[in-house]
Amino acid sequence: MKILYDHLCFWEKYGGVSKYFTEILKNFPEESYDLSLKFTNNEYVSELSHIKVKQLFNKSQFRGKARLISEIGKLFTIPKLLEGNYDIYHPTHYDCYGLKFVSQRAKTVATIHDMNYFAIPQFYNSGGNIKRNQIKMINQVDHIITISNTSKDDILKYTSIDSENISVIYHGVNHGYINSVRRIDYNFPYFLFVGRRSEYKNFKIVVEAFSKLKRQNNSRDLYLVCAGSPFTSTEEELFRHMNVSDSVKIVQATDEQLVNLYRNAIAFIFPSFYEGFGLPILEAMTSECPTIISNCSCFPEVAQDCSLYFEPTEKDQLIAQMEKLLDNEDLRKKLIRDGKSRAMDFDWKKCSEKHLKVYKSLL
């Protein structure tokens, strides 16, 4: 059996989708798959040592860069599709360009990570092309993989696909790597926010809750640490308005730094209105960090009773949960213990094995 993956998800330097594909491929025999990737600035793909790639426009930023890299990648993927030396074609994003070149004997599989453009359209100015491509992909491939039962329910809600054509395969977490990172202690108290801060990620409520918590505990030297891209001018204005400019820090963290940011935090806060899975929750739990997450989407499915929850529009609920972890060390220890145990249920090797089982079932 040979699986062909394309280049589509590797246009960005970091990202959850490229991490997912890299992690499952790390657990596959090298001879079992082909990755039609020649140019990328992605950091994760370097972990696939036998895949040789070159960087493209690494130091340049311009409008349309991602699309240009994607279009160039098609020049290398389409010939491989036409050659037909594969049994399964698994596109890595929702562009359906490759489906018309697939060998008649081959089967097709797509991973649908979420249905956020359908479930929370109020947070998007557009998304029409992605929505159309998602529906087209779902209707044309032989089988769908999705990453939570919540996402499966959403696919069934917004499409007419048969439930039997969907397999739920949870993401994993790299326990060995996280446990191997050298521990560095940070000697200041902080809450942690990780990742993108687009509107549906609900970052603003964290800032508002943190500001009020600071006022209520004016003797505490508390910080909010964010791991991700630099703050925008709009975000900096929000910090000034909330009087927390000196208490909010940004870290463009490496993977090792992120592990230690989790380890030292009072808690990791994940306030999103919607996600397909919520991988940072598992990363935090594996890193022995208590979690405070919104009570919606797939989060209770993933974290079960190993986290503190709040309604994503209820600032005072979030503050109450933050205060609990400031004042109750026994609760922190319980969440750390329970969270680490829950995270052990999620493993990239197990995830990879389930992918292979789906592929084999189609042949």
Side-chain angles (χ1 to χ4, degrees):
M1 181 178 66
K2 188 90 166 185
I3 310 109
L4 175 63
Y5 299 91
D6 66 13
H7 63 288
L8 286 173
C9 76
F10 295 97
W11 65 268
E12 57 185 350
K13 191 168 186 177
Y14 299 99
V17 177
S18 61
K19 182 177 180 62
Y20 151 73
F21 277 105
T22 299
E23 289 290 349
I24 63 171
L25 294 183
K26 280 162 60 176
N27 288 286
F28 286 178
E30 292 179 5
E31 67 276 7
S32 70
Y33 69 91
D34 193 1
L35 177 60
S36 63
L37 184 65
K38 296 296 181 183
F39 296 101
T40 183
N41 304 318
N42 186 268
E43 289 290 327
Y44 300 125
V45 78
S46 62
E47 298 174 33
L48 305 172
S49 58
H50 67 294
I51 301 294
K52 306 302 179 186
V53 297
K54 295 181 180 179
Q55 293 190 337
L56 186 65
F57 308 127
N58 186 35
K59 297 183 180 180
S60 303
Q61 296 296 330
F62 54 89
R63 187 175 182 179
K65 175 180 172 180
R67 181 168 183 176
L68 178 58
I69 292 175
S70 177
E71 293 301 312
I72 291 172
K74 292 177 184 179
L75 299 177
F76 300 94
T77 299
I78 291 173
K80 286 186 175 291
L81 285 165
L82 292 171
E83 286 171 7
N85 297 324
Y86 55 92
D87 303 292
I88 302 286
Y89 169 50
H90 191 153
T92 60
H93 218 281
Y94 303 136
D95 190 330
C96 302
Y97 76 98
L99 296 178
K100 59 179 173 289
F101 301 111
V102 174
S103 164
Q104 288 187 351
R105 69 174 186 82
K107 298 295 185 179
T108 53
V109 175
T111 301
I112 305 299
H113 302 273
D114 56 54
M115 297 293 284
N116 53 347
Y117 285 94
F118 296 85
I120 49 170
Q122 67 271 28
F123 293 112
Y124 296 94
N125 294 325
S126 58
N129 286 337
I130 293 179
K131 290 173 72 172
R132 284 190 293 272
N133 282 339
Q134 270 191 306
I135 295 297
K136 185 177 178 181
M137 182 75 73
I138 288 168
N139 288 331
Q140 290 192 9
V141 298
D142 294 301
H143 200 79
I144 295 295
I145 292 172
T146 194
I147 57 181
S148 67
N149 286 298
T150 303
S151 289
K152 179 179 179 178
D153 290 343
D154 286 341
I155 293 170
L156 294 173
K157 178 179 179 179
Y158 296 110
T159 74
S160 58
I161 189 173
D162 193 318
S163 176
E164 293 181 358
N165 290 336
I166 307 175
S167 294
V168 175
I169 303 177
Y170 287 138
H171 281 338
V173 65
N174 197 332
H175 301 275
Y177 171 76
I178 290 175
N179 294 332
S180 72
V181 171
R182 183 173 66 90
R183 182 176 293 273
I184 298 174
D185 293 329
Y186 303 148
N187 297 316
F188 62 96
Y190 63 90
F191 291 94
L192 179 65
F193 181 95
V194 173
R196 294 176 181 172
R197 301 181 299 274
S198 47
E199 190 177 359
Y200 81 93
K201 297 287 188 178
N202 204 18
F203 175 61
K204 185 178 180 182
I205 199 172
V206 179
V207 178
E208 292 173 343
F210 175 70
S211 174
K212 188 171 180 179
L213 188 68
K214 286 275 288 184
R215 293 196 303 273
Q216 292 174 350
N217 297 269
N218 54 19
S219 62
R220 295 184 187 269
D221 190 18
L222 285 175
Y223 291 87
L224 174 63
V225 175
C226 302
S229 57
F231 293 133
T232 66
S233 58
T234 301
E235 289 170 336
E236 290 174 344
E237 177 57 33
L238 173 65
F239 304 153
R240 285 191 290 271
H241 179 70
M242 293 289 164
N243 296 313
V244 293
S245 294
D246 294 334
S247 302
V248 183
K249 300 177 180 290
I250 186 70
V251 180
Q252 293 179 268
T254 65
D255 286 347
E256 287 190 4
Q257 287 175 315
L258 184 57
V259 171
N260 278 306
L261 285 172
Y262 283 129
R263 284 173 175 168
N264 287 276
I266 298 167
F268 163 63
I269 303 174
F270 202 57
S272 291
F273 286 98
Y274 182 92
E275 300 283 345
F277 185 80
L279 186 56
I281 298 171
L282 294 187
E283 294 175 339
M285 288 177 167
T286 305
S287 303
E288 300 181 357
C289 178
T291 55
I292 303 173
I293 56 183
S294 57
N295 187 25
C296 61
S297 187
C298 62
F299 304 141
E301 178 184 348
V302 173
Q304 295 185 348
D305 59 354
C306 303
S307 179
L308 298 183
Y309 292 92
F310 69 100
E311 295 304 318
T313 57
E314 297 297 325
K315 178 177 64 179
D316 288 339
Q317 285 186 18
L318 174 55
I319 292 170
Q321 302 295 46
M322 295 167 76
E323 285 184 318
K324 285 181 183 178
L325 292 179
L326 277 173
D327 299 325
N328 191 332
E329 186 61 24
D330 288 340
L331 177 60
R332 288 193 74 254
K333 289 178 179 178
K334 181 181 187 302
L335 290 173
I336 288 171
R337 182 179 64 252
D338 293 349
K340 184 133 186 163
S341 176
R342 173 60 177 160
M344 291 301 295
D345 293 337
F346 301 87
D347 180 77
W348 283 120
K349 188 173 188 299
K350 185 187 302 183
C351 174
S352 301
E353 290 170 349
K354 290 183 177 181
H355 279 73
L356 287 174
K357 185 175 180 180
V358 167
Y359 298 148
K360 291 176 181 177
S361 72
L362 296 174
L363 299 178

